[in-house]
Amino acid sequence: MESRLSVAGQAVQPILVLFPLGLFAMAVMFDMADLLGGPSILGALAYWNVIAGLVGGVLATLAGAVDVMFVSNPDARRLGVLRGLINMGVLVIFAVILMLRVHTPERVVGGGLFVVEVLALALAIFGAWFAGEIANGRTPAFARAAAGKAFARPVAGNRNI
């Protein structure tokens, strides 16, 4: 997929994705340090990292949606929508984590919510990897199966694909 939003020839959406990914990773690290007995300010720092990550994630998702709107190939559009759904899922999970943190003293998480936060970060990392594979033209096998025949690998001897 070629990006419609670019600055100095560089696509905007891949750059914007790095901010929420880094902020969510720092939130997980701050929460882990807080759960291991660090100062209580770490929970508040993680809370604000999640807020900043959500703001950056919404901007990155909007940039990705603009890119997907202008894709003419329906199979590439499906892959772009799948990428967007993964990113939206991550944002929804972190938004729920944020809402649950609002009701805790000093905005800290417990063990169960920390596990959910780690799983959400893993999904965010998977989404970033998936977007990179699509951008580099290496569509993963599960996505080729979901998109249809257009991304199927040609069979040896069969030139009709």
Side-chain angles (χ1 to χ4, degrees):
M1 284 177 27
E2 186 173 321
S3 179
R4 293 287 182 167
L5 295 175
S6 62
V7 174
Q10 179 65 40
V12 172
Q13 198 268 344
I15 296 169
L16 289 177
V17 167
L18 294 176
F19 289 108
L21 193 60
L23 288 164
F24 291 149
M26 286 305 300
V28 169
M29 286 188 245
F30 284 145
D31 281 333
M32 182 173 53
D34 184 42
L35 287 173
L36 292 175
S40 62
I41 187 82
L42 293 175
L45 287 173
Y47 173 80
W48 289 106
N49 271 317
V50 170
I51 290 175
L54 287 172
V55 170
V58 168
L59 293 175
T61 301
L62 289 175
V66 168
D67 288 346
V68 169
M69 282 190 322
F70 292 104
V71 173
S72 59
N73 182 344
D75 293 324
R77 184 180 295 232
R78 279 190 213 116
L79 290 174
V81 168
L82 180 61
R83 180 196 69 190
L85 289 174
I86 292 170
N87 292 340
M88 287 298 294
V90 169
L91 293 178
V92 166
I93 293 170
F94 272 104
V96 169
I97 290 170
L98 184 72
M99 287 187 280
L100 293 173
R101 289 179 87 135
V102 168
H103 300 295
T104 62
E106 298 181 14
R107 311 291 189 244
V108 296
V109 297
L113 196 55
F114 177 72
V115 170
V116 173
E117 195 174 42
V118 169
L119 292 175
L121 179 63
L123 182 62
I125 291 169
F126 170 76
W129 169 82
F130 179 64
E133 291 294 304
I134 291 173
N136 291 327
R138 297 183 306 254
T139 308
F142 71 89
R144 281 194 305 270
K149 290 183 180 180
F151 287 105
R153 293 180 191 230
V155 178
N158 186 354
R159 298 184 184 189
N160 295 330
I161 297 179

